[in-house]
C-alpha cells in the first residue's frame, strides 16, 4: 500500500534504498526541493572517485552548483574512501581539505603509477 507521510517545511523523511519510494510532483516553482542520498559501506567497497567523473564538477549538472556554499558543494561529493583527498565540513560550516600522508601518496605513485590506487 502507499503511505504519504504528513510533513512540514524542513522535515526529513528517511528510508532504506531497498524501499520502493517516490515523491509527489513538486508544486512550488519559486523554490527548490533538495534531496540527499547517503550510503554506508566499508572504505574498501566504495565507489571510485571517477564514478562521477570528479574533475570538473562531477556528474551533476553544472547548474546545480550555482549559488551553493563551499559546504553545500562538499555534501555533493561522490562517495569515496577517506584515503583520498576530500573536503570535510567543520562544525562552524567551514570546509577543510583532508589529505593522506605524503609518504603514502608517494608509495601509490611508485607502486601503482597513479596518484590514487
Amino acid at each position: 500500500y502507499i503511505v504519504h507521510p504528513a510533513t512540514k517545511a524542513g522535515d526529513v523523511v528517511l528510508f532504506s534504498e531497498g524501499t520502493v519510494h517516490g515523491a509527489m510532483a513538486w508544486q512550488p516553482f519559486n523554490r527548490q526541493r533538495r534531496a540527499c542520498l547517503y550510503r554506508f559501506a566499508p572504505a574498501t567497497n566504495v565507489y571510485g572517485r571517477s564514478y562521477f567523473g570528479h574533475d570538473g564538477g562531477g556528474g551533476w549538472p553544472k547548474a546545480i552548483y550555482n549559488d551553493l556554499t563551499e559546504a553545500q558543494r562538499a555534501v555533493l561529493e561522490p562517495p569515496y574512501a577517506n584515503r583520498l583527498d576530500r573536503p570535510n565540513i567543520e562544525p562552524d560550516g567551514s570546509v577543510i581539505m583532508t589529505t593522506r600522508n605524503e609518504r603514502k601518496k608517494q608509495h601509490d605513485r611508485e607502486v601503482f603509477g597513479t596518484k590514487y590506487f
Side-chain angles (χ1 to χ4, degrees):
Y1 62 97
I2 297 174
V3 174
H4 183 198
T7 59
K8 299 179 299 236
D11 283 354
V12 175
V13 177
L14 299 174
F15 52 86
S16 163
E17 66 183 64
T19 303
V20 176
H21 59 278
M24 302 293 288
W26 186 241
Q27 300 299 320
F29 293 103
N30 62 343
R31 62 186 188 273
Q32 297 178 349
R33 173 191 285 173
R34 293 193 179 178
C36 287
L37 172 62
Y38 289 94
R39 290 187 176 175
F40 299 92
T44 55
N45 294 325
V46 297
Y47 294 108
R49 188 173 243 187
S50 62
Y51 179 74
F52 276 114
H54 186 271
D55 293 331
W60 300 107
K62 296 201 183 310
I64 203 168
Y65 293 99
N66 294 347
D67 302 320
L68 294 184
T69 66
E70 188 178 15
Q72 289 169 328
R73 288 174 184 262
V75 170
L76 291 178
E77 287 280 313
Y80 52 89
N82 61 3
R83 66 180 164 72
L84 306 177
D85 299 342
R86 82 174 289 133
N88 283 285
I89 304 169
E90 295 292 293
D92 66 359
S94 65
V95 177
I96 61 167
M97 185 65 75
T98 56
T99 187
R100 291 175 59 221
N101 175 291
E102 187 55 42
R103 178 63 198 118
K104 291 179 179 180
K105 291 182 188 179
Q106 182 62 33
H107 172 82
D108 288 352
R109 287 189 293 269
E110 291 170 1
V111 174
F112 303 106
T114 61
K115 184 176 179 180
Y116 304 112
F117 66 89

